[in-house]
Amino acid sequence: MEDRRMWNVSLVRSVFSSYESNKILQIPLCARPGKDRLIWKDSSIGQYSVKAGYRLLRTRASPPQASGPSGTNASHLWQKIWAISTLPRCKELVWRACKGVLPVRMNLKRRGMEIDTTCPCCGEAEETTTHALLTCIGIRRIWFASHLNIHINEEIPENFLGWLELVLEHPNEDTMADIFNLIWVIWKRRNAWLYDGQLWSFERSLAKAAAICIRQDTEVDGLQLGKTQRGLLNSHKSGCGPWCNYQGC
Ligand SMILES: [Zn+2]
């Protein structure tokens, strides 16, 4: 309530979950009247830029979260993720997935939201990070249909971080970059379905991942696959790695 310089508690509680309400109501209000405005606190002029965001991510190369299930040091893991030669947005997404902070439904429920945790894509399982990025039925098909030929079955580590640790052991940097790119596309595909009602076909999903591989940053809506991209999608890499349960690998 602007005139009294205090939160409208009933309004906040009616809009947000109890967890979020409590966090919001703990924010101290400025004693002086004035309009609110968004400020990027890590910039001297208070405005966000990609450069400022990139710089912040680099300076936070030693994140606060401790180790994963097999004792991996978080800082070491972050450095390995950051060393992958792909776009920062792909690496940041993978890191958020490892930390368990992607807004998949199980994570939102864990944070106190009253929410149906069923996967919005298949409707057959709870939407965990692992499910959203790896084991959802449509996502498995994408992994397998990609040039990576990764066959994901129930035997993969339940925890996404556990799976990624296996991935990061792979010696081929290009393969790791391709995996990161595909994870990013899979997440965008999920959000396109959830928020825009758009269902990306396998071809479109793989074309987007291939475009990242080729040009590092390309929007490919409506892209017709060229020769090189078709090759990227179709070429097989045998013996792709310990995370792949495909027979013969
Ligand atoms: Zn699903």
Side-chain angles (χ1 to χ4, degrees):
M1 292 178 282
E2 201 168 331
D3 51 338
R4 285 193 276 164
R5 313 302 305 154
M6 58 189 291
W7 288 106
N8 186 335
V9 177
S10 57
L11 177 62
V12 171
R13 293 209 180 279
S14 69
V15 172
F16 298 97
S17 68
S18 58
Y19 174 86
E20 289 166 328
S21 301
N22 291 337
K23 290 288 182 190
I24 291 170
L25 296 172
Q26 286 171 14
I27 300 172
L29 292 171
C30 180
R32 290 171 297 170
K35 281 202 174 294
D36 292 340
R37 66 189 176 100
L38 286 173
I39 286 181
W40 179 257
K41 71 180 177 61
D42 293 293
S43 157
S44 57
I45 56 173
Q47 288 182 348
Y48 174 78
S49 67
V50 174
K51 187 178 172 186
Y54 180 84
R55 198 184 307 129
L56 179 65
L57 285 173
R58 293 303 302 256
T59 57
R60 289 186 178 177
S62 300
Q65 182 141 324
S67 55
S70 62
T72 301
N73 179 278
S75 173
H76 182 60
L77 175 68
W78 171 239
Q79 285 166 10
K80 283 179 93 171
I81 289 175
W82 200 253
I84 305 294
S85 47
T86 186
L87 299 174
R89 68 186 184 203
C90 301
K91 293 184 272 197
E92 190 200 4
L93 175 70
V94 170
W95 174 244
R96 288 167 64 209
C98 290
K99 285 182 72 179
V101 297
L102 277 189
V104 294
R105 292 183 166 182
M106 281 301 287
N107 287 346
L108 294 176
K109 184 169 186 184
R110 209 170 290 129
R111 288 161 58 186
M113 279 185 75
E114 297 293 327
I115 189 170
D116 176 5
T117 56
T118 308
C119 170
C121 298
C122 69
E124 291 179 356
E126 290 187 323
E127 194 196 35
T128 60
T129 302
T130 303
H131 181 84
L133 300 180
L134 301 173
T135 59
C136 187
I137 184 69
I139 303 307
R140 290 176 197 228
R141 289 176 187 153
I142 289 177
W143 280 109
F144 190 64
S146 74
H147 70 289
L148 297 161
N149 282 149
I150 294 179
H151 181 70
I152 291 174
N153 65 21
E154 302 300 337
E155 291 169 20
I156 67 162
E158 210 166 281
N159 186 300
F160 179 81
L161 176 57
W163 182 80
L164 190 79
E165 285 174 335
L166 294 175
V167 169
L168 290 172
E169 289 173 9
H170 197 281
N172 188 314
E173 290 185 8
D174 290 342
T175 299
M176 286 196 286
D178 291 354
I179 289 172
F180 276 44
N181 297 339
L182 194 51
I183 289 171
W184 187 84
V185 169
I186 286 169
W187 181 247
K188 298 295 284 184
R189 180 180 186 268
R190 176 255 191 201
N191 290 339
W193 169 247
L194 187 56
Y195 300 116
D196 300 327
Q198 294 178 17
L199 182 57
W200 293 1
S201 65
F202 293 162
E203 291 78 12
R204 184 179 177 191
S205 305
L206 294 173
K208 281 176 174 284
I212 298 175
C213 297
I214 295 165
R215 290 193 289 273
Q216 290 292 291
D217 191 7
T218 312
E219 292 304 323
V220 289
D221 286 329
L223 178 77
Q224 296 294 312
L225 294 187
K227 255 187 186 172
T228 314
Q229 287 159 331
R230 266 199 295 273
L232 254 179
L233 300 187
N234 297 332
S235 64
H236 176 69
K237 288 182 180 175
S238 59
C240 43
W243 66 87
C244 176
N245 295 310
Y246 182 59
Q247 200 172 7
C249 281

